[in-house]
């Protein structure tokens, strides 16, 4: 085992296709070996125990044979379950890695197909090895562990604006469309079964209710499959949200229909009363689910208000509250998916206003990671379960099902669109309808629901399962593979990649107000009117409760502007810009300027110094501060409660380069003018002490002061910094106060220095640490928070959806 | 029109309005009843006070400007024709209209005319440019009183910088159109008047 994994890593760097294939094969063999072992483990364990007992017995009996002390022992049973789980997850992740390294394959075949194939292979290998295939797609495992991360990810990052704008359309597709599908498929299947009475006896006993039950299972569009396929085709936002929203909201219908038919299949009849109860049940399930989710969402938002001192566990609240919401909804047989979506969507604007930037990134990364692994596992398990599951192939049933699914979907979409278009402002074209119909993929939820059926109630269960798997394979493989070329062929509008500019934001809000006004004049209580009312309510009452501190009063536009500026600042630093001022840099303003009015910037020293273009100066400050801060963060000991980084964990050479750059910059600044007030010559400026700490006293760094004074050329290793003479400002980089390079104190000083820096517009004279600013501590803390929020990774993908404020 | 506003709108008038604005018969009648309900003075025209009596409009940040948009240059009263003419900008664009490209004059609810209406709300002095000050005024109205002038100034500067392509430090109508090309104006600036 260890040799295998050791061999894997060098192979990973190869680039040839055979290398890839060999890698995959090795992993498969590895897994098969393990699974083989785990199948056999059940027996050796028992025998092991027997022998142990035997030994003990003999030992006690004879009292003379002393067993040698086991230096190395193998106890697989002890760690079996977690080990298996970890291996499966590892397999899933390695597969994901592998597929993206094979260049052409990932372009042609969607990932979901490949994963199912891998699952088939693994299942096949296990079967060949003669072992029992573990029941991996057990319904409890699926619904309680694998599905929630995906749904939470979808719900938390749901683009609210397009969702709400198209809510009517989505609801009609989800509710009416699913009902239509279920009854059409179920009814026609029953008719086919009746016709088949003479020929095959198997279909004979199929009553109407089991058929309808089957119809309801197979009719629901699956969010996992839709996500997996649509993510790769980058279709325009409207279509994406329509199909995806439908797949999420039809869960309520599916739950009700499933329970209804399952309950009454035993009895054999469904009366009108039951139907009526079913409708009421649907309303309860749907609205109840949303309500449960919203309650937990508000709780989470409220909790996040108080987390400013324990930033480390902020993401945990988001995850735990959401999961509890899901479980609570499932407990009452309400729609868990809708609860999750509601929870995520409700809590997001408030939580994001409260948590730090790092927590925000953490949440994003964790959600994406979990959902990605879950999705991969689901598809692999589908493959394994296909190999394993008891199959009962009936040509008629399966082919009729597949055909009916397609037909029902097309008729449903076309018919509903005709009705919907009467009410829509932007009509759905034929192309749109085609994509919506074609995107109705079935997936693992259908399979799990089928798996849940009990054999004794439903003797046809195996036949159902086979048909379900066939439909899933058909939709995922055929439809999934062909949808991308079809989208290209039909020239469907693709997703617009560009981010929202501040112009768009301002004008969109402007138009919102305008339209609300016009609606009021017409006396027409339309879409804008209610949105405006909700926004007003939100601003007046809800935000005050759920958002901590100053940000509760922040207007939407300002919040948007903040975010944009922050992103740009991060980008500037990340691009390794150093001192270079790109002239293309659009912003001449700094986020630092955006502060509430009641904090007037101290205006003591600036007047004495010549004016500079504000923007340039701010840019330099930003860069310097971020670079310096990064350095500082590296030097403090890691503490679980304070979340500061380890000094030695980052690349040492990068650090050296950064230091060089900073020293360069300081040098240039000093050379440019004489106003620079450097803190009076300390023997060990904080810069140097940090450098020394990190370098372990082996560089020949000269202290910054000495370097400046002697005007020695810095290390040639450093970046060649372009001196932009007319724009280098006269600023004083107010590093911490000169004394105490001691670690603990420095941190406090930096924090205070930060506060000082944040409160000014530009320059001021250095203030010693002896002036604690008690009155402005909250402001400082908040600015600190802002800066802390600034310093983090941008995240996996530039997700413009996150920019949207509450109900934009 | 007559000393007392007739509750019945004459057929010829309805036809004329229909031709000019594209509203349907029932929509015109419905909006006429709304017009008369707003017209407290019952003289067949609306004044600014009539509009200001609408409660929601008072809390709308752009309320005053919207009201002004109804009144033609320098006048204080607007009749039903003018009322409908302004509202016509917000009619949804229909598919069959999109194909009409040989018309002499563009319908009032075309995309360009919608944008022109919005542009005129920014550009109060009608010089076909949104200057920094005009933008600042609008921002101030939308953002409230808590934000300082400086900060708003930064936002305004940034906005103009993003949109300005010819370097005159203001936003012309064409630049305005360009900036909003990704926004679905047809949907955003349309009200679904019930049939």
């Amino acid at each position: 085992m260890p040799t295998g994994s050791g061999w894997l890593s060098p192979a990973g760097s190869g680039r040839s296709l055979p290398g890839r294939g060999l890698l995959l094969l090795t992993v498969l063999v590895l897994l098969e070996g393990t699974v083989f072992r785990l199948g056999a483990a059940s027996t050796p364990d028992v025998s092991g125990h027997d022998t142990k007992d035997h030994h003990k017995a003999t030992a006690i009996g004879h009292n003379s044979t002393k067993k040698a002390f086991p230096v190395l022992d193998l106890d697989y049973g002890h760690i079996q379950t977690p080990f298996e789980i970890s291996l499966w997850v590892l397999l899933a992740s390695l597969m994901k890695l592998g597929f993206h390294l094979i260049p052409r394959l990932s372009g042609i075949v969607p990932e979901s197909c490949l994963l199912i194939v891998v699952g088939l292979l693994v299942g096949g290998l296990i079967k060949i090895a003669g072992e029992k295939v573990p029941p991996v797609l057990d319904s409890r495992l699926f619904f309680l562990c694998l599905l929630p991360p995906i749904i939470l990810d979808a719900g938390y990052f749901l683009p609210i604006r397009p969702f709400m704008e198209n809510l009517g359309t989505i609801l009609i597709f989800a509710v009416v469309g699913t009902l239509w599908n279920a009854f059409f498929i179920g009814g026609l299947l029953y008719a086919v079964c009746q016709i088949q009475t003479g020929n095959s006896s198997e279909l004979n006993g199929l009553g109407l209710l089991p058929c309808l039950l089957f119809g309801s299972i197979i009719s629901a569009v699956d969010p996992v499959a839709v996500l997996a396929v649509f993510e790769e085709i980058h279709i325009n936002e409207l279509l994406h949200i329509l199909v995806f929203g439908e797949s999420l909201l039809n869960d309520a219908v599916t739950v009700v229909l499933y329970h209804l038919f399952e309950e009454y299949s035993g009895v054999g009849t469904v009366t009108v009363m039951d139907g009526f109860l079913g409708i009421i049940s649907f309303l309860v399930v749907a609205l109840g689910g949303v309500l449960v989710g919203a309650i937990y969402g508000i709780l989470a938002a409220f909790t996040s208000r108080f987390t400013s001192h324990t930033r480390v566990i902020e993401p945990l609240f988001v995850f735990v509250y959401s999961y509890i919401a899901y479980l609570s909804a499932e407990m009452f047989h309400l729609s868990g998916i809708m609860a999750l979506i509601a929870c995520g969507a409700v809590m997001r604007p408030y939580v994001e206003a409260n948590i730090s930037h790092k927590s925000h990134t953490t949440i994003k990364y964790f959600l994406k990671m979990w959902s990605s692994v879950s999705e991969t596992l689901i598809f692999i398990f589908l493959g394994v379960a296909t190999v394993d599951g008891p199959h009962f192939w009936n040509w008629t049933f399966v082919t009729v099902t597949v055909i009916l699914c397609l037909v029902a979907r097309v008729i449903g979409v076309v018919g509903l669109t005709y009705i919907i278009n009467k009410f829509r402002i932007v009509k759905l074209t034929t192309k749109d309808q085609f994509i919506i119909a074609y995107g109705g993929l079935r997936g693992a939820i259908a399979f799990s629901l089928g798996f849940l059926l009990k054999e004794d109630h439903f003797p046809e269960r195996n036949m159902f399962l086979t048909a379900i798997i066939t439909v899933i394979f058909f939709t995922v493989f055929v439809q999934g593979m062909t949808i991308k070329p079809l989208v290209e062929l039909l020239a469907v509008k693709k997703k617009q990649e560009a981010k929202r500019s501040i112009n768009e934001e301002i004008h969109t809000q402007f138009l919102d107000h305008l339209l609300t006004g016009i609606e009021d004049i017409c006396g027409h209580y339309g879409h804008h009117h209610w949105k405006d009312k909700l926004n007003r309510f939100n601003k007046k009452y809800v935000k005050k409760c759920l958002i901590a501190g100053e940000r509760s009063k922040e207007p939407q536009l300002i919040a948007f502007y903040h975010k944009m500026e922050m992103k740009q600042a991060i980008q500037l630093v990340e691009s390794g810009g150093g001192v270079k001022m790109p002239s293309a840099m659009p912003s001449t303003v700094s986020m630092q300027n955006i502060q509430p009015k009641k904090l007037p910037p101290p205006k003591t020293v600036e007047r004495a110094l010549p004016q500079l273009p504000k923007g340039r100066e701010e840019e330099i400050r930003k860069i310097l501060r971020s670079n310096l801060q990064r350095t500082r963060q590296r030097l403090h000991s890691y503490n679980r409660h304070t979340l500061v980084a380890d000094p030695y964990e980052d690349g040492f050479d990068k650090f050296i380069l950064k230091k060089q750059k900073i020293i360069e910059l300081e040098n240039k600044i000093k050379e440019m003018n004489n106003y620079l007030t450097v803190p009076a010559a300390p023997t060990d400026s904080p810069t140097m002490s940090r450098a020394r700490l990190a370098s372990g006293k082996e560089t020949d760094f000269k202290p910054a002061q000495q370097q400046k004074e002697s005007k020695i050329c810095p290390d040639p290793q450093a970046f060649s910094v372009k001196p932009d003479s007319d724009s280098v400002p006269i600023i004083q980089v107010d590093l911490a106060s000169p004394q105490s390079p001691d670690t603990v104190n420095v941190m406090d000083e930096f924090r205070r220095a930060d506060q000082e820096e944040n409160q000014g517009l530009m320059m001021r004279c250095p203030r010693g640490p002896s002036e604690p600013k008690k009155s402005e501590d909250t402001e400082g803390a908040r600015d600190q928070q802002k800066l802390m929020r600034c310093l983090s990774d941008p995240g996996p993908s530039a997700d413009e959806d996150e920019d949207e404020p509450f109900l934009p | 029109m007559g000393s007392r506003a007739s509750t019945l709108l004459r057929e010829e008038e309805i036809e004329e309005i229909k031709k000019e604005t594209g509203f349907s018969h029932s929509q015109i009648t419905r909006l006429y009843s709304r017009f008369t309900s707003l017209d407290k003075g019952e003289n067949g025209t609306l004044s600014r006070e009539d509009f200001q009596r609408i409660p929601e409009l008072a809390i709308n940040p752009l309320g005053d400007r919207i009201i002004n948009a109804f009144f033609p240059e320098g006048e204080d009263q607007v009749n039903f024709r003018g009322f409908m003419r302004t509202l016509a900008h917000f009619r949804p664009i229909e598919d069959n209209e999109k194909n009409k490209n040989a018309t002499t004059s563009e319908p009032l609810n075309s995309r360009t005319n919608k944008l022109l209406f919005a542009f005129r709300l920014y550009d109060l002095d009608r010089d076909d440019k949104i200057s920094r000050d005009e933008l600042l005024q609008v921002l101030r109205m939308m953002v409230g009183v808590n934000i300082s002038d400086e900060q708003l100034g930064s936002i305004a500067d940034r906005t103009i910088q993003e949109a300005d392509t010819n370097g005159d430090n203001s936003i012309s109508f064409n630049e305005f159109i360009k900036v909003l090309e990704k926004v679905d104006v047809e949907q955003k600036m349309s009200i679904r008047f019930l049939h």
Side-chain angles (χ1 to χ4, degrees), chain A residues 560-576:
Chain A
F560 179 81
Y561 187 66
H562 268 200
K563 262 201 195 145
M564 220 172 48
E565 286 289 288
M566 198 113 63
K567 276 208 178 120
Q568 206 154 48
I570 291 177
Q571 257 175 18
L572 187 65
V573 173
E574 287 271 319
S575 67

Side-chain angles (χ1 to χ4, degrees), chain A residues 156 352 355-365 802:
Chain A
Y156 194 78
E352 290 207 336
I355 61 178
S356 72
H357 204 80
K358 284 206 177 94
S359 300
H360 173 73
T361 310
T362 309
I363 293 178
K364 186 172 170 180
Y365 265 116
E802 298 169 53

Side-chain angles (χ1 to χ4, degrees), chain A residues 507 521 565 586 593 595, chain B residues 34 122 151 158-159 161 192:
Chain A
H507 297 314
I521 291 179
E565 286 289 288
N593 288 336
Q595 285 173 359
Chain B
R34 175 70 177 169
Y122 276 102
Q151 299 144 30
R158 170 67 183 263
T159 310
Q161 216 172 16
R192 215 178 289 130

Side-chain angles (χ1 to χ4, degrees), chain A residues 322-352:
Chain A
S322 313
Y323 194 49
I324 292 185
Y326 179 75
L327 294 176
S328 307
E330 287 288 319
M331 179 167 67
F332 293 110
H333 277 299
L334 304 172
S335 168
I337 290 185
M338 292 182 84
L340 258 185
I341 303 280
C343 187
V346 163
M347 78 161 99
R348 186 173 166 210
Y350 307 109
V351 164
E352 290 207 336

Side-chain angles (χ1 to χ4, degrees), chain A residues 161 165-166 422-427 496 498-504 506-525 527-529 531-533 536 539 553-555 557-558 561 564-565 568 585-590 593-598 601 603 614 761 808, chain B residues 31 34 38 51 54 56-57 59-62 65-67 70 83 86-87 90 92-93 95 117-119 121-122 130 135 138-140 142-143 145-155 157-163 171 176 179-195:
Chain A
R161 190 176 39 97
E165 278 176 11
N166 295 300
K422 293 211 199 315
F423 298 101
R424 280 181 69 89
I425 298 180
V426 175
K427 316 274 185 216
Q496 290 162 340
K499 290 197 160 289
R500 228 158 119 92
S501 67
I502 183 110
N503 264 288
E504 282 178 18
I506 293 180
H507 297 314
T508 313
Q509 254 198 37
F510 181 83
L511 290 178
D512 274 339
H513 286 303
L514 171 63
L515 266 282
T516 311
I518 298 283
E519 275 187 5
D520 291 327
I521 291 179
C522 294
H524 171 72
Y525 287 153
H527 179 69
H528 289 96
H529 179 87
K531 203 159 88 163
D532 190 61
K533 269 213 157 86
R536 230 176 272 280
K539 203 194 301 189
K553 298 202 202 74
E554 204 175 47
L557 207 57
I558 305 294
Y561 187 66
M564 220 172 48
E565 286 289 288
Q568 206 154 48
M585 168 89 168
S587 165
T588 57
V589 302
S590 152
N593 288 336
I594 313 294
Q595 285 173 359
K597 215 186 213 173
K598 46 185 162 159
K603 290 181 169 59
K614 224 200 272 188
L761 268 187
Chain B
L31 286 169
R34 175 70 177 169
L38 287 175
F51 279 105
I54 304 175
E56 292 91 355
L57 214 53
I59 42 178
N60 193 320
L62 301 177
R65 293 208 179 195
I66 299 176
I67 296 175
F70 277 89
F83 186 70
T86 314
L87 287 182
F90 295 96
I93 299 181
D95 277 331
F117 185 80
F119 187 79
L121 282 180
Y122 276 102
I130 304 178
L135 187 59
V138 172
L139 279 175
R140 172 58 68 193
M142 292 206 293
V143 149
V145 293
N146 279 334
I147 312 296
S148 78
D149 285 328
E150 241 159 18
Q151 299 144 30
L152 233 57
S154 325
I155 299 183
D157 287 329
R158 170 67 183 263
T159 310
I160 293 186
Q161 216 172 16
E162 255 184 24
I171 307 180
F176 189 71
V179 155
L180 286 181
E181 66 187 355
K182 289 201 202 83
V183 173
D184 193 1
V185 176
E186 287 92 337
Q187 185 178 23
K188 257 207 123 26
M189 277 192 77
S190 299
I191 297 184
R192 215 178 289 130
F193 294 101
L194 304 164
H195 294 302

